[in-house]
Structures are given as C-alpha cells and as structure tokens.
C-alpha cells in the first residue's frame, strides 16, 4: 500500500476510519493497536481532539489483523 500524504504535512496520511470514510489523519504518540472499535472509543480516550478509529489496514501500524488504532485529524495545510 502506498502511503499518501495529505494537507501538505509529512506526518499526515490519507487513512480509512472504521466509519469507512477516508480522512486526513496523523497517528497519536503513545497510541496502541487494539484500542478502538469505533470513533466513539477514540473520542472517549482523546476528548476534544476529534480523534477517530483507524481500521486494521496497511496504512496503520496495525496492519495484518493486529487491531485498530486511534488517530487525530490533521490540521489544515500550513500557510505558504
């Protein structure tokens, strides 16, 4: 799988949430696999940050059946 960067930021990738929508997100330092079943789980763990649950896919560290992980939405592109 090719990791596609988004919002002009190296740390941000197009990733698919468990809600089956592609979003521009970044993984959370200290976040671990198997920590969410859906976006609500992430919102509870990381309140007020808009966290969402990333499905078990090749674009996350949890590829190959290791579970889901929380990610944060990426900020808008930096000003030119």
């Amino acid at each position: 799988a090719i990791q596609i960067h988004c919002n002009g930021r190296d740390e941000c990738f197009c990733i698919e949430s468990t809600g089956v929508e592609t979003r521009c997100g970044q993984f959370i330092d200290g976040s671990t696999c198997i920590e969410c079943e859906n976006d609500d789980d992430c919102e509870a763990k990381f309140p007020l940050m808009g966290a969402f649950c990333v499905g078990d896919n090749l674009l996350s560290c949890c590829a190959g059946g290791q579970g889901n992980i929380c990610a944060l939405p990426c900020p808008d592109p930096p000003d030119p």
Side-chain angles (χ1 to χ4, degrees):
I2 297 170
Q3 292 193 323
I4 301 171
H5 294 281
C6 48
N7 287 17
R9 297 177 182 272
D10 289 343
E11 70 277 15
C12 297
F13 300 96
C14 291
I15 44 184
E16 189 173 296
S17 76
T18 53
V20 197
E21 56 184 332
T22 301
R23 301 180 63 175
C24 186
Q26 58 188 336
F27 296 106
I28 302 166
D29 287 339
S31 189
T32 57
C33 294
I34 320 174
E35 70 179 358
C36 61
E37 289 296 319
N38 55 49
D39 294 347
D40 290 344
D41 294 338
C42 295
E43 289 169 7
K45 283 192 172 197
F46 304 98
L48 306 177
M49 299 170 77
F52 59 97
C53 187
V54 178
D56 177 356
N57 64 52
L58 296 176
L59 295 183
S60 77
C61 66
C62 303
Q66 297 178 54
N68 303 330
I69 192 167
C70 293
L72 294 177
C74 273
D76 289 333
D79 290 332

